[in-house]
Amino acid sequence: MSEFTNLKYPVSSTLTSVGTIAAPASGKAHVVIGINVANTHATDTTAIDVTVNDGSTDTYIAKNVSIPAGGSLGLLTGKVVLVTGDIVKAKFTGGAADLVLSLLKDA
């Protein structure tokens, strides 16, 4: 059965998985319906990269997007489908950031 969920992660300064997203059930996929990033640093601007990795290749959703201190940004205007083996990765440069990934699991 499909379910909506929000996954919340602090973003690292290296491009790493934003957390464990269980693989979809057989014949199913996860649908990412939103990615929101907040700069949690009080004074520094941060730049964010977000990718989907299929097991071998990183495909950018956002690359070097600047977010001012205390600001936030929604990164998706559409939806992204994740199939078994896909991993969402993120990193920041300068400042600090949190990421919220909203998805429909097992769609």
Side-chain angles (χ1 to χ4, degrees), residues 21-31 82-86 104-107:
I21 302 171
S26 178
K28 303 280 184 171
H30 297 324
V31 179
L82 301 177
V83 296
T84 300
D86 287 347
L104 177 62
K105 295 171 60 175
D106 290 332

Side-chain angles (χ1 to χ4, degrees), residues 9-100:
Y9 304 104
V11 178
S12 171
S13 59
T14 58
L15 191 62
T16 56
S17 170
V18 295
T20 302
I21 302 171
S26 178
K28 303 280 184 171
H30 297 324
V31 179
V32 179
I33 56 177
I35 299 176
N36 295 296
V37 180
N39 181 348
T40 58
H41 199 276
T43 58
D44 292 345
T45 296
T46 191
I48 188 87
D49 291 347
V50 178
T51 68
V52 173
N53 181 284
D54 64 3
S56 61
T57 304
D58 286 320
T59 302
Y60 282 89
I61 292 172
K63 183 167 177 60
N64 201 31
V65 175
S66 292
I67 304 171
S72 62
L73 182 64
L75 295 179
L76 287 181
T77 57
K79 295 165 185 61
V80 174
V81 176
L82 301 177
V83 296
T84 300
D86 287 347
I87 300 169
V88 177
K89 295 181 176 182
K91 77 169 188 173
F92 75 89
T93 305
D98 286 341
L99 181 142
V100 176

